Amino acid sequence: MKPETAIIRIKNLRLRTFIGIKDEEIENRQDVIVNVEIHYCAAQARRSDNMDHALNYRTITKAIIALIENNRFSLLEHLTDKVLAIASDHEWVEFAKVEVDKPHALRYADSVSMELCYQKQKN
């Protein structure tokens, strides 16, 4: 990791959405827990203390909340991919990782989670 790289972590964002393929899942919202990690070059922000030189984690979080709360998903893979698209949308993002947990998806497990990553292609 380069010394100018900043890491934004959005931890345990707890939301409710329609996720799954069983009738009960289609009819009732369920809890999901979202964790996001975003790496970007923050050299300008560190020098300037200017918001225009930083990624706005509040804007990113609001977009994730709107996506999850206003849509339905059959697959955890699809939901996670959509969140990753938001997390990696800005041109400054070099790497992003998203994990979405679906608590109580399995009888004897705390949760099931899906993790996907984005890596910016080097020119």
Side-chain angles (χ1 to χ4, degrees), residues 22 25 30 76 102-113:
K22 297 187 313 191
E25 295 172 321
Q30 297 178 70
L76 202 49
K102 185 177 172 185
H104 314 295
L106 295 174
R107 185 174 178 188
Y108 297 110
D110 291 337
S111 71
V112 170
S113 72

Side-chain angles (χ1 to χ4, degrees), residues 4-8 38-42 45 53-55 92-95:
E4 63 273 7
T5 299
I7 301 173
I8 295 171
I38 301 168
H39 297 217
Y40 78 101
C41 179
H53 299 150
L55 288 184
W92 296 346
V93 175
E94 298 167 358
F95 174 84

Side-chain angles (χ1 to χ4, degrees), residues 51-62:
M51 186 57 224
D52 293 336
H53 299 150
L55 288 184
N56 189 328
Y57 55 80
R58 180 170 292 206
T59 301
I60 295 166
T61 302
K62 284 182 177 182

Side-chain angles (χ1 to χ4, degrees), residues 17-91:
T17 193
F18 295 98
I19 176 77
I21 58 172
K22 297 187 313 191
D23 287 342
E24 178 182 306
E25 295 172 321
I26 293 169
E27 294 169 7
N28 300 298
R29 288 184 184 269
Q30 297 178 70
D31 295 330
V32 292
I33 302 168
V34 180
N35 285 282
V36 179
E37 182 176 309
I38 301 168
H39 297 217
Y40 78 101
C41 179
Q44 277 190 299
R46 291 170 64 173
R47 286 191 303 273
S48 72
D49 198 27
N50 182 332
M51 186 57 224
D52 293 336
H53 299 150
L55 288 184
N56 189 328
Y57 55 80
R58 180 170 292 206
T59 301
I60 295 166
T61 302
K62 284 182 177 182
I64 292 168
I65 291 168
L67 168 78
I68 292 175
E69 290 187 342
N70 297 322
N71 289 284
R72 293 175 172 268
F73 306 92
S74 295
L75 300 176
L76 202 49
E77 290 86 345
H78 184 70
L79 168 57
T80 307
D81 183 64
K82 292 294 188 185
V83 174
L84 182 62
I86 292 169
S88 61
D89 184 48
H90 198 283
E91 64 182 314

